[in-house]
Amino acid sequence: MLSSLRLIRKSGLNSHLASFGHVSHRTKGPSRSQSTFTDKRHHLGVETVEGKIDIDSFRRIAWDLKTPLLLRASHKFPANEKWFQFSESGSYPSFSPYFLPFADRIFPYEFTISRTSPHSMSGSEHEILSDFREWLLKQHEDKEPPLTAMVEAVVKSIITEASYRHSPSNFQQFDAPMALMMAACQFNENKDPSKRLKNLYVAQSDLSHLPEPLFADLPVPDIVKRAGKGDVYSSSIWLGLQPTYTPLHRDPNPNLFCQLVGSKRIRLMAPDLGEGVYIRVRKELGLTGSSRLRGTEMMGGRERQLLHDAVWGDASISEVLVNPTDALFVPMGWWHSVASDGIEGNLNASVNWWFR
């Protein structure tokens, strides 16, 4: 595992990243006007409100009843406009030049790797990572760029993991600069989805650890500040290359989940129903433990597969599609699983606040 790996460089990464290639003219991407009415509908079992909602209505519809609520076109942050840019077709999002000054900042990464024999690496993450490394080297023929050390470490870890037939996990965690995600986005842009780097995820990174300008681009929503006591328990940014995934779990506090770029599907279960599904899977595995920890047991191996089958294989479970500027309120104790929706290798970004 790569839990202790940190590529901390105080200089040089910004210039390396800026010179990876010519930045073509980009569009801001599709925009969506916000509604001013609150016509209530049900979206696959979850009540939906279009546009902004006043705090009293939110309390009455969702907060007091402790029921999920999808808020369409309700939360557009400065980050939506400033952090991202799109290809000419508007179909491929990546980071804008605004992000370059923050390329050196260290973030917690996850990388989920398909189970692959070390003797059959064609088309695997190993092969794609090797291509990514070669691509990085071509950008700097005079010297090896610092990010290649990161890529080489991941490749070695994949080979080591694959060499153990009974390895319980194909889930990697490590710390690395934001430059890694930014470079991976550029590497993916003109490639077929089957040849793109994917499953790379800056997951559950505390907003308070962001540089001040980025932190200011994600102001705390009024719902978080005013619906309850105004106490923000925690908050996180999620930046990943699709597919990204979080298995079934529940949170100890209410959660407002907001989508910035790309889309995510979220499956929701009431506390008693979700508890039954989770306990059944854990019993089948002979396991005990927390449903709130994002660790190797939950993210890799047989537990991940059984949780996925139990949640996503049941068409009766409520599901919502959360698009950019949408928000989903998840009450305390409600079980949920989150999966990106869209083309593999595309950038997906979300933010959330746990509050009370």
Side-chain angles (χ1 to χ4, degrees):
M1 301 299 290
L2 304 176
S3 58
S4 63
L5 177 60
R6 296 178 66 87
L7 294 182
I8 303 177
R9 301 282 181 124
K10 297 300 183 182
S11 63
L13 277 176
N14 291 353
S15 59
H16 285 317
L17 187 63
S19 64
F20 278 157
H22 173 69
V23 178
S24 59
H25 172 71
R26 303 298 184 93
T27 64
K28 289 185 178 180
S31 62
R32 183 170 61 180
S33 60
Q34 295 193 0
S35 305
T36 57
F37 60 91
T38 57
D39 177 35
K40 293 182 292 179
R41 300 178 301 166
H42 282 76
H43 180 78
L44 297 178
V46 176
E47 192 165 13
T48 302
V49 171
E50 297 285 348
K52 294 288 186 179
I53 185 172
D54 63 84
I55 298 300
D56 288 339
S57 295
F58 173 78
R59 290 194 187 107
R60 175 172 49 84
I61 296 170
W63 183 262
D64 293 341
L65 299 177
K66 296 181 173 59
T67 186
L69 181 65
L70 180 62
L71 302 160
R72 290 283 190 209
S74 61
H75 289 75
K76 188 173 184 179
F77 301 95
N80 290 81
E81 295 289 335
K82 296 165 70 173
W83 289 17
F84 311 106
Q85 61 186 13
F86 289 78
S87 60
E88 289 287 356
S89 66
S91 62
Y92 185 83
S94 59
F95 293 98
S96 72
Y98 172 78
F99 235 77
L100 282 172
F102 314 110
D104 288 343
R105 186 59 65 101
I106 300 296
F107 285 84
Y109 280 79
E110 299 176 356
F111 187 50
T112 306
I113 303 153
S114 300
R115 187 75 59 194
T116 307
S117 166
H119 304 295
S120 178
M121 289 295 187
S122 178
S124 68
E125 283 86 353
H126 178 278
E127 186 178 71
I128 293 170
L129 281 166
S130 295
D131 290 344
F132 181 43
R133 179 186 180 282
E134 293 303 313
W135 178 84
L136 287 170
L137 287 171
K138 287 180 181 178
Q139 314 307 311
H140 305 275
E141 295 181 356
D142 55 331
K143 59 182 179 179
E144 183 173 300
L147 289 180
T148 56
M150 172 85 263
V151 178
E152 286 174 348
V154 174
V155 170
K156 289 178 181 178
S157 181
I158 292 171
I159 295 173
T160 301
E161 289 274 343
S163 66
Y164 292 97
R165 296 175 62 186
H166 301 292
S167 174
S169 173
N170 58 5
F171 174 66
Q172 305 283 318
Q173 290 180 301
F174 54 91
D175 294 329
M178 178 51 62
L180 176 63
M181 184 69 72
M182 298 168 74
C185 283
Q186 190 166 353
F187 169 78
N188 280 352
E189 181 167 4
N190 296 314
K191 289 188 174 294
D192 182 273
S194 65
K195 299 183 183 300
R196 288 177 174 178
L197 191 64
K198 45 189 177 289
N199 294 307
L200 185 67
Y201 206 8
V202 171
Q204 202 168 327
S205 179
D206 197 312
L207 290 190
S208 65
H209 297 163
L210 289 174
E212 179 56 36
L214 299 184
F215 182 80
D217 292 337
L218 293 168
V220 180
D222 284 346
I223 285 174
V224 174
K225 292 189 293 186
R226 299 173 54 200
K229 299 178 181 179
D231 180 12
V232 178
Y233 177 77
S234 187
S235 58
S236 291
I237 187 72
W238 309 77
L239 303 167
L241 301 180
Q242 298 175 168
T244 63
Y245 181 69
T246 298
L248 182 68
H249 68 288
R250 60 181 173 178
D251 299 323
N253 290 283
N255 179 5
L256 187 69
F257 181 92
C258 304
Q259 191 66 14
L260 301 175
V261 163
S263 300
K264 282 191 168 80
R265 293 191 178 274
I266 302 178
R267 290 214 160 184
L268 294 144
M269 287 187 280
D272 55 347
L273 177 60
E275 181 83 14
V277 171
Y278 184 79
I279 290 176
R280 186 169 67 250
V281 169
R282 299 289 282 184
K283 281 184 176 179
E284 183 172 347
L285 294 167
L287 298 173
T288 60
S290 174
S291 59
R292 301 167 185 165
L293 297 178
R294 189 183 179 88
T296 56
E297 295 85 2
M298 178 185 286
M299 293 299 298
R302 190 162 176 249
E303 181 178 357
R304 173 187 169 115
Q305 189 60 52
L306 289 176
L307 284 172
H308 181 275
D309 292 346
V311 175
W312 296 90
D314 186 346
S316 68
I317 295 176
S318 296
E319 178 182 305
V320 295
L321 178 65
V322 187
N323 294 315
T325 74
D326 292 346
L328 175 67
F329 170 66
V330 183
M332 180 179 65
W334 274 70
W335 295 75
H336 49 289
S337 180
V338 185
S340 60
D341 183 79
I343 300 172
E344 289 193 347
N346 273 18
L347 180 64
N348 194 300
S350 316
V351 61
N352 82 290
W353 287 264
W354 291 280
F355 64 106
R356 52 198 169 191

